[in-house]
Amino acid sequence: MPLPRITVLISGRGSNLAALLEAEKNGSLRGIVHTVISNRADAAGLAIALAHGARINVVDHRAHADRNGFDAALAEAVDAGRPDLVVLAGFMRILGPAFVARYADRMLNIHPSLLPAYPGLHTHRRALDDGVRIHGCTVHFVTADLDHGPIVGQAVVPVLPDDDETKLAARVLAAEHRLLPAAVRAFCDGRWPIRDAIRHVNQSVVRTASSGKFITLFYGEIDPGNARVRYINAGHNYPLLRRADGGVEELREGGTPLGIFEDADYDQGEISFRPGDGLMLYSDGISEAIDTMGTEFGEERLRSLWRQRGHRPPADVIALVLEDIASFRGDAAQSDDITLVVVGSRGG
Ligand code: GAR
């Protein structure tokens, strides 16, 4: 299962690297720290990497006459690990524009201040000198403009009256150790094909569910920027996509329910989801509701309600479906649990 591969660049102690490795070990990183590279052979973080089983490499900046030479050697070492993500975790060399461009949108840095405040060095001392009451750390994408790339996450810590540089640095560092793994995880989650994620979940359900039990699942990710939804339907009732013009389509791509076949594979579907479109997920308690004559409510009735009234806000649609079911059923007992999710999109 190809988890995103990560290369971490360090220059010294490596406590942020250790936090990443700990998160990898407990499964919360969703990525693999494959290679650790230091510009100093005596960086303590290298031993931490080795103990974890990561590959290590040293690219000593002093062995190169200028920054371009160092950057080229470093890029060669980084590329050897074929990383999906490069993380600067206490890497104390400035990188040139060509190096930064090579890893654009896939290189993160942790910086010990609440950027854009205090870029550069001695951040804790400068914060104390200014008498600020809050301080913290930032994870950001690396761009050619030092410590100014797009911010991925920040953690805030208070500055206390008896703080000195050491105390404040320790408080910020503890926050860094929470923030950096969370930011890396968010990046990895976005890169991990949902097909692999669902296969992974299926395998763990197969191993843990009692015999004869299975789970149906619909998993979708809405990308509002690109007006798209990518999804996998693992044996769930086909969710009903309603287009702004009232047309209804079923979301069928996926595979079997979870927990049946260990090697089950899943197809990923992708649809456009534009203003005015809506998505309805429903459980059997709706489609299989029975009236006093024993007739099923059925999917066609639900579809036509969705087609005709689906332009209303999601809360209204839910109320309408529940009313319809209740009046259809009359005095008949409810046959199954009713779960209904309606997702709307603004602008329609
Ligand atoms: C961390 O505080 C990190 O934010 C900082 O160096 C320290 C490395 O500690 N990075 C920078 O200042 C980058 N401009 P670590 O080696 O124990 O992770």
Side-chain angles (χ1 to χ4, degrees):
M1 194 150 308
L3 286 172
R5 284 154 75 105
I6 303 165
T7 289
V8 182
L9 306 191
I10 61 168
S11 294
R13 183 176 52 187
S15 69
N16 276 292
L17 167 68
L20 290 174
L21 295 173
E22 180 55 35
E24 181 194 318
K25 212 160 67 181
N26 70 31
S28 64
L29 195 64
R30 308 271 177 81
I32 302 284
V33 177
H34 179 270
T35 304
V36 175
I37 303 172
S38 171
N39 63 308
R40 301 177 57 111
D42 61 354
L46 288 172
I48 298 174
L50 271 184
H52 181 86
R55 294 184 196 187
I56 62 165
N57 200 346
V58 175
V59 181
D60 191 337
H61 59 280
R62 290 167 306 186
H64 299 274
D66 56 20
R67 182 181 302 152
N68 287 345
F70 170 65
D71 280 4
L74 187 61
E76 197 175 311
V78 170
D79 288 349
R82 290 185 287 110
D84 298 296
L85 173 67
V86 178
V87 179
L88 310 185
F91 185 69
M92 303 308 280
R93 304 296 304 172
I94 293 176
L95 296 162
F99 186 95
V100 169
R102 191 179 185 90
Y103 306 105
D105 301 323
R106 55 186 179 116
M107 182 155 60
L108 296 175
N109 178 47
I110 178 126
H111 182 80
S113 79
L114 292 173
L115 291 172
Y118 311 120
L121 298 175
H122 311 302
T123 56
H124 309 310
R125 191 191 311 159
R126 286 152 65 204
L128 286 169
D129 286 350
D130 285 349
V132 297
R133 298 297 175 87
I134 56 165
H135 188 41
C137 49
T138 301
V139 173
H140 64 96
F141 280 104
V142 177
T143 59
D145 197 2
L146 182 71
D147 296 335
H148 277 85
I151 290 172
V152 174
Q154 294 187 303
V156 175
V157 303
V159 180
L160 302 178
D162 69 338
D163 268 348
D164 57 21
E165 216 177 316
T166 311
K167 286 184 190 165
L168 184 56
R171 194 174 308 117
V172 172
L173 193 64
E176 292 183 37
H177 296 163
R178 293 187 293 273
L179 178 66
L180 184 60
V184 169
R185 178 194 170 130
F187 179 94
C188 291
D189 274 349
R191 289 292 165 114
W192 203 17
I194 61 176
R195 172 169 173 255
D196 288 347
I198 301 298
R199 280 165 55 176
H200 192 73
V201 176
N202 174 57
Q203 282 162 9
S204 94
V205 175
V206 169
R207 281 185 216 119
T208 51
S210 42
S211 134
K213 303 279 185 205
F214 61 85
I215 295 171
T216 68
L217 165 125
F218 176 82
Y219 179 87
E221 289 181 359
I222 300 174
D223 175 356
N226 294 308
R228 299 199 72 77
V229 173
R230 52 181 202 153
Y231 73 91
I232 280 180
N233 186 357
H236 198 71
N237 289 335
Y238 299 140
L240 301 174
L241 171 71
R242 182 187 187 280
R243 295 298 183 191
D245 67 3
V248 173
E249 302 163 25
E250 292 174 334
L251 271 52
R252 292 169 167 245
E253 292 298 325
T256 51
L258 307 178
I260 300 179
F261 306 114
E262 177 139 18
D263 59 355
D265 207 351
Y266 295 88
D267 292 324
Q268 181 176 313
E270 186 159 340
I271 50 162
S272 64
F273 193 65
R274 301 189 190 295
D277 292 345
L279 194 56
M280 176 187 279
L281 285 85
Y282 64 95
S283 65
D284 291 344
I286 292 177
S287 51
E288 294 175 6
I290 306 276
D291 69 7
T292 46
M293 310 292 289
T295 313
E296 242 185 32
F297 186 76
E299 279 159 28
E300 205 29 64
R301 245 181 271 253
L302 183 63
R303 274 164 162 273
S304 93
L305 195 154
W306 183 218
R307 200 177 292 121
Q308 288 163 24
R309 325 268 280 279
H311 57 282
R312 315 264 299 260
D316 290 4
V317 174
I318 288 181
L320 283 167
V321 173
L322 295 181
E323 269 167 33
D324 256 40
I325 295 284
S327 69
F328 174 83
R329 218 174 49 219
D331 293 333
Q334 185 178 323
S335 54
D336 205 345
D337 290 346
I338 286 182
T339 306
L340 184 60
V341 176
V342 176
V343 181
S345 53
R346 286 212 193 106

